Amino acid sequence: MKKRLLIASTFWLAFNFFVNAQSSEKEISAKNWIRENVKDLNLNDNFNLSLRFVRKGPSGETLRFHQTLDGIPVFGSDLVVHYSPSGELTHTDLKYEKNVGIISTTPRIQETDAIQIADRELKVSGLVTYQEIKLFVKVQESGTNLVYRVVTSFETKPGSWEVFLDAQSGTVLSVKDIAIYCGGENHDGKSEKIELKSNSKSKYFLKSDENMKMPLVAGSGMVFAADPLSSAHVAYGGNYVDGSGAGDVDTAELNAQRINVVLPEIENNSGTYKLKSSYVEIRELENPNKGLFTQTNTNFSFTRSQDGFEATNVFYHTDASLRYINETLGVNCIQNVDNSHAGILWFDPSGENGADNSHYSNGVLVFGEGCVDDGEDADVIWHELGHGLHDWMTGGSLSQVNGLSEGCGDYWAQSHSRALNHWASADAAYQWVFNWDGHNTCWGGRSTGVTSLYPGGLVNQIHTDGQIWATTLMKIWGDIGRQKMDKAFLEGLALTNSSTNQPNAAIAVRQAAIDMNYPCADIQAMTTRFTAVGYTMPALTTKVNCPANKTVTAGVGNTYTVPSYVSETNVISANCTATATQNPAVGTSLAPGTYTVTMTANPGTANCTFQLLVEPYLGTEDFVKHNIKIFPNPASSEITISGDLISDQTITIYNLLGQKVEEAHLNSDINKINVSRLAKGVYTMYFEKFNATYKFVKE
């Protein structure tokens, strides 16, 4: 049992804060679309749709609904409706139950009793790191039942254990480990059953310290740049091995492959430093208990024979990846399935009871230690993080159909390691995933260079099947570049649900790229690669994406000549053969004002529009010549205009849309203009006689 400082004697029940209090202006229109297009849902007073998750990102807004019976969610239902940034409904992915029976939705078993039943079934003891209970309507072969779903993780038994029990009788219906593992129950895919016992009969809950926030400061640490074999460009063997029998043996060669990196944020608790940032935090979640490696200086420098090395390595690579996603790519993606973490990913660098495996579940990562410690290979770290990203982008609805999430993890690992340019394309290791942890005597590893096609290449084994998806994504990565592919991959996952297969995920990724206005050449590259591997892709509908609204200034003579906007317009069409035409035409002369520019596909009728604001000519000579002064600026109620020989002329005030909002006649060398009725904002004052303008702010 772990130290009492790390546990709480009170019960913690985890709830998903993204499920509750979700709202969207598009909720009604999305529900109406589902009702009109999915007749076999048979929605009525008993059956309805409940909005459970809303996500806004660069590709638009995605809404997720539960199918409900008397307000209770139907387990497994996940109806996704996606709108582009312009508000157009561009993608749906609907998973629902057609044969929901009418049953009582009032449970006879109380939640506390249901939890006790699940705990007895699992033999829960020691530190409980996660526990969640929810009531569902579940459709099974035997009929429709009201059930409790209890999910529990605890230190003495690796994994995340799901127990379904009948909410009327308390009968246990099923028990399953739902954690997502790196390579099956252990890396070689062989089942390894470990009977775990605990001397403690008590149950304790991990305490969240989200209300005990400490300052974050910069630190440093020693890590592997992906892995020592790749950075040294050598094969497994010689002094580049884990260590015969002992494991984690230091060699000069392996130590030389460590690099010193900046840790942008670590926690400072009155001079005690911990591996915790705004994104990631070390935790003790499973046995063995090896501590949190806190220290009194900011330099986390370890060799691989020290357990602190794996802790630092996992922390650095997960934190850096999440910073890349959120701060470089601009994709909002943080841990969102367990609000007790306050949005932070928890990780245990030494778990799995020491077995050779790793897993993701419920917003946490746990890394095993058999053979090469999994926390020493960044590919393993990125792969498991990839499952988390898939989970968070979908609000807890990742899919393992066709090994989709395994392929996502392999892609995320390969995208990061390939970017380090350790291997040439002719090297076998160029395509390998888990270069240090696998492809050796430990286990076989995986690849993004498989030649299997869909669906004939599927073997109904998620880790093998997922390689088809990862390989295809990496081919597109090579076509359009890392950042664009990573962003489309993440935003595309947000459009999927818990039953999405590889072809539908491909459609979602391509649609996300279209909605983010990727060039037609990128969309064509995706279409070509996805089609070549066997995914059936819908024909592209011609779409025209306009430039953003523009503000320009008229020239001498107070007119503006319209240029060509064709090169700034993105026309997406099959084979990228369509071009764009514009109205007003190139060369049209426009006076100051606001105009709508229409760009139309040729051939085709698809079009888009943007606003062109032509501001009056900004002459200044007469301002200087006549010593004109305009004050105050900003102004709240009144502007004073003074100068030599400014009387007997008209001034016109325009807003930013080019609309005339005020006009006045100057009748002396000092004039006061009342602007109190104008809304707050920036305005342009046009002096007709001088053909000049002046900007001011109304506050």
PDB file of all heavy atoms in Angstrom, residues 407-434:
ATOM      1  N   GLY A 407      -3.459   2.057 -35.324  1.00  0.00           N
ATOM      2  CA  GLY A 407      -2.833   2.743 -36.448  1.00  0.00           C
ATOM      3  C   GLY A 407      -2.579   4.205 -36.154  1.00  0.00           C
ATOM      4  O   GLY A 407      -1.554   4.768 -36.576  1.00  0.00           O
ATOM      5  N   CYS A 408      -3.493   4.821 -35.411  1.00  0.00           N
ATOM      6  CA  CYS A 408      -3.299   6.225 -35.033  1.00  0.00           C
ATOM      7  C   CYS A 408      -2.077   6.376 -34.137  1.00  0.00           C
ATOM      8  O   CYS A 408      -1.277   7.308 -34.296  1.00  0.00           O
ATOM      9  CB  CYS A 408      -4.544   6.749 -34.316  1.00  0.00           C
ATOM     10  SG  CYS A 408      -5.990   6.967 -35.382  1.00  0.00           S
ATOM     11  N   GLY A 409      -1.926   5.451 -33.179  1.00  0.00           N
ATOM     12  CA  GLY A 409      -0.758   5.504 -32.306  1.00  0.00           C
ATOM     13  C   GLY A 409       0.533   5.297 -33.066  1.00  0.00           C
ATOM     14  O   GLY A 409       1.534   5.993 -32.843  1.00  0.00           O
ATOM     15  N   ASP A 410       0.530   4.325 -33.993  1.00  0.00           N
ATOM     16  CA  ASP A 410       1.734   4.094 -34.803  1.00  0.00           C
ATOM     17  C   ASP A 410       2.054   5.305 -35.671  1.00  0.00           C
ATOM     18  O   ASP A 410       3.228   5.677 -35.834  1.00  0.00           O
ATOM     19  CB  ASP A 410       1.546   2.863 -35.690  1.00  0.00           C
ATOM     20  CG  ASP A 410       1.647   1.550 -34.915  1.00  0.00           C
ATOM     21  OD1 ASP A 410       1.941   1.589 -33.704  1.00  0.00           O
ATOM     22  OD2 ASP A 410       1.419   0.490 -35.526  1.00  0.00           O
ATOM     23  N   TYR A 411       1.016   5.926 -36.234  1.00  0.00           N
ATOM     24  CA  TYR A 411       1.265   7.116 -37.059  1.00  0.00           C
ATOM     25  C   TYR A 411       1.874   8.233 -36.216  1.00  0.00           C
ATOM     26  O   TYR A 411       2.840   8.887 -36.637  1.00  0.00           O
ATOM     27  CB  TYR A 411      -0.031   7.617 -37.704  1.00  0.00           C
ATOM     28  CG  TYR A 411       0.139   9.012 -38.272  1.00  0.00           C
ATOM     29  CD1 TYR A 411       0.812   9.216 -39.472  1.00  0.00           C
ATOM     30  CD2 TYR A 411      -0.293  10.140 -37.569  1.00  0.00           C
ATOM     31  CE1 TYR A 411       1.025  10.495 -39.976  1.00  0.00           C
ATOM     32  CE2 TYR A 411      -0.089  11.422 -38.062  1.00  0.00           C
ATOM     33  CZ  TYR A 411       0.569  11.599 -39.262  1.00  0.00           C
ATOM     34  OH  TYR A 411       0.791  12.867 -39.739  1.00  0.00           O
ATOM     35  N   TRP A 412       1.296   8.473 -35.029  1.00  0.00           N
ATOM     36  CA  TRP A 412       1.780   9.594 -34.212  1.00  0.00           C
ATOM     37  C   TRP A 412       3.238   9.362 -33.810  1.00  0.00           C
ATOM     38  O   TRP A 412       4.043  10.304 -33.782  1.00  0.00           O
ATOM     39  CB  TRP A 412       0.899   9.783 -32.987  1.00  0.00           C
ATOM     40  CG  TRP A 412       1.078  11.122 -32.356  1.00  0.00           C
ATOM     41  CD1 TRP A 412       1.591  11.401 -31.128  1.00  0.00           C
ATOM     42  CD2 TRP A 412       0.768  12.391 -32.951  1.00  0.00           C
ATOM     43  NE1 TRP A 412       1.619  12.766 -30.922  1.00  0.00           N
ATOM     44  CE2 TRP A 412       1.117  13.393 -32.017  1.00  0.00           C
ATOM     45  CE3 TRP A 412       0.219  12.765 -34.177  1.00  0.00           C
ATOM     46  CZ2 TRP A 412       0.928  14.744 -32.290  1.00  0.00           C
ATOM     47  CZ3 TRP A 412       0.043  14.122 -34.446  1.00  0.00           C
ATOM     48  CH2 TRP A 412       0.401  15.092 -33.509  1.00  0.00           C
ATOM     49  N   ALA A 413       3.592   8.115 -33.522  1.00  0.00           N
ATOM     50  CA  ALA A 413       4.985   7.808 -33.193  1.00  0.00           C
ATOM     51  C   ALA A 413       5.888   8.027 -34.401  1.00  0.00           C
ATOM     52  O   ALA A 413       6.950   8.658 -34.308  1.00  0.00           O
ATOM     53  CB  ALA A 413       5.090   6.364 -32.702  1.00  0.00           C
ATOM     54  N   GLN A 414       5.471   7.508 -35.554  1.00  0.00           N
ATOM     55  CA  GLN A 414       6.304   7.621 -36.743  1.00  0.00           C
ATOM     56  C   GLN A 414       6.421   9.062 -37.228  1.00  0.00           C
ATOM     57  O   GLN A 414       7.494   9.488 -37.694  1.00  0.00           O
ATOM     58  CB  GLN A 414       5.743   6.744 -37.864  1.00  0.00           C
ATOM     59  CG  GLN A 414       6.609   6.661 -39.099  1.00  0.00           C
ATOM     60  CD  GLN A 414       7.901   5.912 -38.860  1.00  0.00           C
ATOM     61  OE1 GLN A 414       8.846   6.456 -38.280  1.00  0.00           O
ATOM     62  NE2 GLN A 414       7.954   4.668 -39.307  1.00  0.00           N
ATOM     63  N   SER A 415       5.356   9.837 -37.115  1.00  0.00           N
ATOM     64  CA  SER A 415       5.416  11.241 -37.525  1.00  0.00           C
ATOM     65  C   SER A 415       6.485  11.988 -36.744  1.00  0.00           C
ATOM     66  O   SER A 415       7.244  12.786 -37.303  1.00  0.00           O
ATOM     67  CB  SER A 415       4.050  11.911 -37.321  1.00  0.00           C
ATOM     68  OG  SER A 415       4.129  13.291 -37.601  1.00  0.00           O
ATOM     69  N   HIS A 416       6.558  11.725 -35.439  1.00  0.00           N
ATOM     70  CA  HIS A 416       7.556  12.400 -34.608  1.00  0.00           C
ATOM     71  C   HIS A 416       8.967  11.892 -34.896  1.00  0.00           C
ATOM     72  O   HIS A 416       9.899  12.687 -35.063  1.00  0.00           O
ATOM     73  CB  HIS A 416       7.222  12.183 -33.132  1.00  0.00           C
ATOM     74  CG  HIS A 416       6.167  13.107 -32.605  1.00  0.00           C
ATOM     75  ND1 HIS A 416       4.900  13.163 -33.124  1.00  0.00           N
ATOM     76  CD2 HIS A 416       6.191  14.022 -31.598  1.00  0.00           C
ATOM     77  CE1 HIS A 416       4.193  14.057 -32.463  1.00  0.00           C
ATOM     78  NE2 HIS A 416       4.955  14.598 -31.530  1.00  0.00           N
ATOM     79  N   SER A 417       9.135  10.561 -34.948  1.00  0.00           N
ATOM     80  CA  SER A 417      10.490  10.029 -35.125  1.00  0.00           C
ATOM     81  C   SER A 417      11.020  10.296 -36.531  1.00  0.00           C
ATOM     82  O   SER A 417      12.207  10.599 -36.708  1.00  0.00           O
ATOM     83  CB  SER A 417      10.520   8.531 -34.815  1.00  0.00           C
ATOM     84  OG  SER A 417       9.629   7.820 -35.636  1.00  0.00           O
ATOM     85  N   ARG A 418      10.142  10.228 -37.539  1.00  0.00           N
ATOM     86  CA  ARG A 418      10.574  10.502 -38.915  1.00  0.00           C
ATOM     87  C   ARG A 418      11.077  11.942 -39.040  1.00  0.00           C
ATOM     88  O   ARG A 418      12.017  12.220 -39.804  1.00  0.00           O
ATOM     89  CB  ARG A 418       9.397  10.265 -39.872  1.00  0.00           C
ATOM     90  CG  ARG A 418       9.697  10.465 -41.352  1.00  0.00           C
ATOM     91  CD  ARG A 418      10.440   9.323 -41.983  1.00  0.00           C
ATOM     92  NE  ARG A 418       9.762   8.039 -41.890  1.00  0.00           N
ATOM     93  CZ  ARG A 418       8.790   7.620 -42.703  1.00  0.00           C
ATOM     94  NH1 ARG A 418       8.355   8.399 -43.684  1.00  0.00           N
ATOM     95  NH2 ARG A 418       8.264   6.416 -42.553  1.00  0.00           N
ATOM     96  N   ALA A 419      10.460  12.867 -38.293  1.00  0.00           N
ATOM     97  CA  ALA A 419      10.850  14.283 -38.371  1.00  0.00           C
ATOM     98  C   ALA A 419      12.261  14.531 -37.847  1.00  0.00           C
ATOM     99  O   ALA A 419      12.856  15.578 -38.123  1.00  0.00           O
ATOM    100  CB  ALA A 419       9.846  15.138 -37.591  1.00  0.00           C
ATOM    101  N   LEU A 420      12.821  13.580 -37.080  1.00  0.00           N
ATOM    102  CA  LEU A 420      14.174  13.734 -36.552  1.00  0.00           C
ATOM    103  C   LEU A 420      15.247  13.387 -37.581  1.00  0.00           C
ATOM    104  O   LEU A 420      16.437  13.625 -37.341  1.00  0.00           O
ATOM    105  CB  LEU A 420      14.344  12.856 -35.308  1.00  0.00           C
ATOM    106  CG  LEU A 420      13.468  13.241 -34.108  1.00  0.00           C
ATOM    107  CD1 LEU A 420      13.593  12.200 -33.002  1.00  0.00           C
ATOM    108  CD2 LEU A 420      13.839  14.623 -33.594  1.00  0.00           C
ATOM    109  N   ASN A 421      14.828  12.781 -38.706  1.00  0.00           N
ATOM    110  CA  ASN A 421      15.750  12.491 -39.818  1.00  0.00           C
ATOM    111  C   ASN A 421      16.926  11.608 -39.416  1.00  0.00           C
ATOM    112  O   ASN A 421      18.052  11.786 -39.887  1.00  0.00           O
ATOM    113  CB  ASN A 421      16.283  13.802 -40.430  1.00  0.00           C
ATOM    114  CG  ASN A 421      15.183  14.615 -41.081  1.00  0.00           C
ATOM    115  OD1 ASN A 421      14.367  14.082 -41.826  1.00  0.00           O
ATOM    116  ND2 ASN A 421      15.142  15.902 -40.776  1.00  0.00           N
ATOM    117  N   HIS A 422      16.668  10.630 -38.551  1.00  0.00           N
ATOM    118  CA  HIS A 422      17.741   9.718 -38.162  1.00  0.00           C
ATOM    119  C   HIS A 422      18.069   8.714 -39.269  1.00  0.00           C
ATOM    120  O   HIS A 422      19.225   8.320 -39.426  1.00  0.00           O
ATOM    121  CB  HIS A 422      17.347   8.945 -36.899  1.00  0.00           C
ATOM    122  CG  HIS A 422      17.344   9.763 -35.653  1.00  0.00           C
ATOM    123  ND1 HIS A 422      18.342  10.650 -35.331  1.00  0.00           N
ATOM    124  CD2 HIS A 422      16.449   9.830 -34.622  1.00  0.00           C
ATOM    125  CE1 HIS A 422      18.087  11.222 -34.167  1.00  0.00           C
ATOM    126  NE2 HIS A 422      16.941  10.745 -33.718  1.00  0.00           N
ATOM    127  N   TRP A 423      17.059   8.277 -39.999  1.00  0.00           N
ATOM    128  CA  TRP A 423      17.243   7.216 -40.983  1.00  0.00           C
ATOM    129  C   TRP A 423      16.980   7.719 -42.395  1.00  0.00           C
ATOM    130  O   TRP A 423      16.105   8.559 -42.604  1.00  0.00           O
ATOM    131  CB  TRP A 423      16.305   6.044 -40.685  1.00  0.00           C
ATOM    132  CG  TRP A 423      16.493   5.443 -39.327  1.00  0.00           C
ATOM    133  CD1 TRP A 423      15.735   5.667 -38.213  1.00  0.00           C
ATOM    134  CD2 TRP A 423      17.516   4.525 -38.931  1.00  0.00           C
ATOM    135  NE1 TRP A 423      16.206   4.960 -37.143  1.00  0.00           N
ATOM    136  CE2 TRP A 423      17.307   4.239 -37.559  1.00  0.00           C
ATOM    137  CE3 TRP A 423      18.580   3.920 -39.598  1.00  0.00           C
ATOM    138  CZ2 TRP A 423      18.136   3.369 -36.843  1.00  0.00           C
ATOM    139  CZ3 TRP A 423      19.406   3.055 -38.883  1.00  0.00           C
ATOM    140  CH2 TRP A 423      19.183   2.789 -37.531  1.00  0.00           C
ATOM    141  N   ALA A 424      17.717   7.189 -43.352  1.00  0.00           N
ATOM    142  CA  ALA A 424      17.462   7.476 -44.761  1.00  0.00           C
ATOM    143  C   ALA A 424      16.349   6.565 -45.249  1.00  0.00           C
ATOM    144  O   ALA A 424      16.108   5.488 -44.701  1.00  0.00           O
ATOM    145  CB  ALA A 424      18.730   7.248 -45.583  1.00  0.00           C
ATOM    146  N   SER A 425      15.669   6.984 -46.296  1.00  0.00           N
ATOM    147  CA  SER A 425      14.525   6.220 -46.791  1.00  0.00           C
ATOM    148  C   SER A 425      14.916   4.817 -47.249  1.00  0.00           C
ATOM    149  O   SER A 425      14.079   3.913 -47.285  1.00  0.00           O
ATOM    150  CB  SER A 425      13.844   6.968 -47.938  1.00  0.00           C
ATOM    151  OG  SER A 425      14.755   7.197 -49.004  1.00  0.00           O
ATOM    152  N   ALA A 426      16.181   4.610 -47.569  1.00  0.00           N
ATOM    153  CA  ALA A 426      16.636   3.284 -47.998  1.00  0.00           C
ATOM    154  C   ALA A 426      16.893   2.346 -46.822  1.00  0.00           C
ATOM    155  O   ALA A 426      17.022   1.133 -47.008  1.00  0.00           O
ATOM    156  CB  ALA A 426      17.910   3.418 -48.833  1.00  0.00           C
ATOM    157  N   ASP A 427      16.960   2.884 -45.605  1.00  0.00           N
ATOM    158  CA  ASP A 427      17.207   2.051 -44.427  1.00  0.00           C
ATOM    159  C   ASP A 427      15.942   1.305 -44.029  1.00  0.00           C
ATOM    160  O   ASP A 427      14.839   1.868 -44.051  1.00  0.00           O
ATOM    161  CB  ASP A 427      17.665   2.913 -43.245  1.00  0.00           C
ATOM    162  CG  ASP A 427      18.994   3.605 -43.494  1.00  0.00           C
ATOM    163  OD1 ASP A 427      19.851   2.994 -44.157  1.00  0.00           O
ATOM    164  OD2 ASP A 427      19.155   4.755 -43.035  1.00  0.00           O
ATOM    165  N   ALA A 428      16.094   0.049 -43.626  1.00  0.00           N
ATOM    166  CA  ALA A 428      14.931  -0.719 -43.162  1.00  0.00           C
ATOM    167  C   ALA A 428      14.278  -0.038 -41.967  1.00  0.00           C
ATOM    168  O   ALA A 428      13.045  -0.001 -41.847  1.00  0.00           O
ATOM    169  CB  ALA A 428      15.363  -2.141 -42.797  1.00  0.00           C
ATOM    170  N   ALA A 429      15.103   0.534 -41.080  1.00  0.00           N
ATOM    171  CA  ALA A 429      14.582   1.155 -39.861  1.00  0.00           C
ATOM    172  C   ALA A 429      13.807   2.439 -40.133  1.00  0.00           C
ATOM    173  O   ALA A 429      13.157   2.968 -39.233  1.00  0.00           O
ATOM    174  CB  ALA A 429      15.734   1.433 -38.898  1.00  0.00           C
ATOM    175  N   TYR A 430      13.888   2.952 -41.345  1.00  0.00           N
ATOM    176  CA  TYR A 430      13.149   4.161 -41.716  1.00  0.00           C
ATOM    177  C   TYR A 430      11.654   3.973 -41.478  1.00  0.00           C
ATOM    178  O   TYR A 430      10.947   4.922 -41.102  1.00  0.00           O
ATOM    179  CB  TYR A 430      13.421   4.470 -43.187  1.00  0.00           C
ATOM    180  CG  TYR A 430      12.739   5.700 -43.748  1.00  0.00           C
ATOM    181  CD1 TYR A 430      13.224   6.974 -43.463  1.00  0.00           C
ATOM    182  CD2 TYR A 430      11.638   5.580 -44.593  1.00  0.00           C
ATOM    183  CE1 TYR A 430      12.620   8.105 -43.998  1.00  0.00           C
ATOM    184  CE2 TYR A 430      11.024   6.701 -45.134  1.00  0.00           C
ATOM    185  CZ  TYR A 430      11.521   7.957 -44.831  1.00  0.00           C
ATOM    186  OH  TYR A 430      10.914   9.074 -45.371  1.00  0.00           O
ATOM    187  N   GLN A 431      11.141   2.760 -41.698  1.00  0.00           N
ATOM    188  CA  GLN A 431       9.718   2.485 -41.549  1.00  0.00           C
ATOM    189  C   GLN A 431       9.371   1.866 -40.195  1.00  0.00           C
ATOM    190  O   GLN A 431       8.196   1.680 -39.897  1.00  0.00           O
ATOM    191  CB  GLN A 431       9.249   1.520 -42.652  1.00  0.00           C
ATOM    192  CG  GLN A 431       9.471   2.001 -44.073  1.00  0.00           C
ATOM    193  CD  GLN A 431       8.515   3.118 -44.472  1.00  0.00           C
ATOM    194  OE1 GLN A 431       7.731   3.605 -43.663  1.00  0.00           O
ATOM    195  NE2 GLN A 431       8.574   3.523 -45.730  1.00  0.00           N
ATOM    196  N   TRP A 432      10.357   1.561 -39.383  1.00  0.00           N
ATOM    197  CA  TRP A 432      10.079   0.851 -38.143  1.00  0.00           C
ATOM    198  C   TRP A 432       9.417   1.758 -37.108  1.00  0.00           C
ATOM    199  O   TRP A 432       9.749   2.944 -36.978  1.00  0.00           O
ATOM    200  CB  TRP A 432      11.368   0.312 -37.542  1.00  0.00           C
ATOM    201  CG  TRP A 432      11.934  -0.870 -38.281  1.00  0.00           C
ATOM    202  CD1 TRP A 432      11.401  -1.490 -39.371  1.00  0.00           C
ATOM    203  CD2 TRP A 432      13.157  -1.551 -37.989  1.00  0.00           C
ATOM    204  NE1 TRP A 432      12.192  -2.528 -39.780  1.00  0.00           N
ATOM    205  CE2 TRP A 432      13.285  -2.595 -38.939  1.00  0.00           C
ATOM    206  CE3 TRP A 432      14.139  -1.394 -37.025  1.00  0.00           C
ATOM    207  CZ2 TRP A 432      14.377  -3.457 -38.945  1.00  0.00           C
ATOM    208  CZ3 TRP A 432      15.220  -2.258 -37.027  1.00  0.00           C
ATOM    209  CH2 TRP A 432      15.335  -3.282 -37.981  1.00  0.00           C
ATOM    210  N   VAL A 433       8.511   1.163 -36.359  1.00  0.00           N
ATOM    211  CA  VAL A 433       7.971   1.789 -35.153  1.00  0.00           C
ATOM    212  C   VAL A 433       8.490   0.974 -33.974  1.00  0.00           C
ATOM    213  O   VAL A 433       8.482  -0.262 -34.032  1.00  0.00           O
ATOM    214  CB  VAL A 433       6.431   1.800 -35.161  1.00  0.00           C
ATOM    215  CG1 VAL A 433       5.897   2.614 -33.989  1.00  0.00           C
ATOM    216  CG2 VAL A 433       5.901   2.349 -36.479  1.00  0.00           C
ATOM    217  N   PHE A 434       8.957   1.647 -32.911  1.00  0.00           N
ATOM    218  CA  PHE A 434       9.568   1.024 -31.730  1.00  0.00           C
ATOM    219  C   PHE A 434      10.961   0.479 -32.082  1.00  0.00           C
ATOM    220  O   PHE A 434      11.270  -0.695 -31.883  1.00  0.00           O
ATOM    221  CB  PHE A 434       8.696  -0.100 -31.151  1.00  0.00           C
ATOM    222  CG  PHE A 434       7.230   0.228 -31.088  1.00  0.00           C
ATOM    223  CD1 PHE A 434       6.285  -0.607 -31.665  1.00  0.00           C
ATOM    224  CD2 PHE A 434       6.786   1.382 -30.460  1.00  0.00           C
ATOM    225  CE1 PHE A 434       4.940  -0.310 -31.612  1.00  0.00           C
ATOM    226  CE2 PHE A 434       5.431   1.695 -30.394  1.00  0.00           C
ATOM    227  CZ  PHE A 434       4.503   0.840 -30.980  1.00  0.00           C
TER     228      PHE A 434
END
